[in-house]
Amino acid sequence: MSLADHDHYTHLLRTSSFDLWVRLRNLLRERGLDPASTVLVNLFPDGGDHEFGRAIAEDGRVYRFDLFYDRDSPQGARKATIRSWTDITDTWQAEPLQDEIAQAFIWAPPPRRTDLTPRPASEPLPDAT
């Protein structure tokens, strides 16, 4: 069984050391998304100089974007920029690839806090009784 696109792309987003993925992580952070909890639904070539993508933030917001960079330049990915960043949370069901987004929602693990998760100093410990 092969991995679904969102599983594959999310894994690359969170772990890859290649310039494109490092840059995309930084660009998502600039937009307030945590790459460690963002699901990358897809990212695919859409012309000679950019890729088209969709991402689901931890809070369930859905975004569509274009990632532009010079593919022919060895340093091109390091200078990638996001254009056409659009919140499609209220309209993704009408998107051409709505099934991929729906599958990514189903797959996305819910955010969880365990007793091993560091707590902010201001947060009280849970009642043990």
Side-chain angles (χ1 to χ4, degrees):
M1 183 174 159
S2 64
L3 294 176
D5 286 346
H6 55 267
D7 191 10
H8 176 71
Y9 288 124
T10 300
H11 176 74
L12 289 170
L13 173 66
R14 295 179 183 180
T15 64
S16 178
S17 60
F18 286 111
D19 290 343
L20 179 66
W21 298 104
V22 171
R23 180 67 178 150
L24 183 55
R25 284 193 292 270
N26 290 329
L27 291 168
L28 291 175
R29 281 187 197 102
E30 288 175 7
R31 283 158 180 75
L33 277 67
D34 179 0
S37 58
T38 296
V39 174
L40 190 57
V41 177
N42 52 28
L43 187 68
F44 54 88
D46 190 30
D49 63 349
H50 69 282
E51 302 203 21
F52 180 75
R54 290 182 184 85
I56 302 173
E58 182 177 10
D59 65 1
R61 302 218 52 89
V62 183
Y63 299 93
R64 178 179 58 217
F65 62 92
D66 291 317
L67 183 66
F68 281 80
Y69 63 100
D70 182 357
R71 288 192 186 125
D72 295 329
S73 168
Q75 304 297 319
R78 291 182 181 182
K79 298 176 184 176
T81 59
I82 287 181
R83 299 184 196 161
S84 303
W85 180 260
T86 307
D87 185 332
I88 59 169
T89 303
D90 296 330
T91 60
W92 69 263
Q93 295 89 347
E95 289 278 310
L97 299 173
Q98 63 181 302
D99 290 344
E100 288 184 26
I101 297 170
Q103 289 294 324
F105 266 115
I106 293 167
W107 171 83
R112 295 184 189 171
R113 178 181 206 112
T114 69
D115 286 335
L116 300 176
T117 304
R119 296 178 185 279
S122 62
E123 186 176 315
L125 293 173
D127 187 2
T129 58

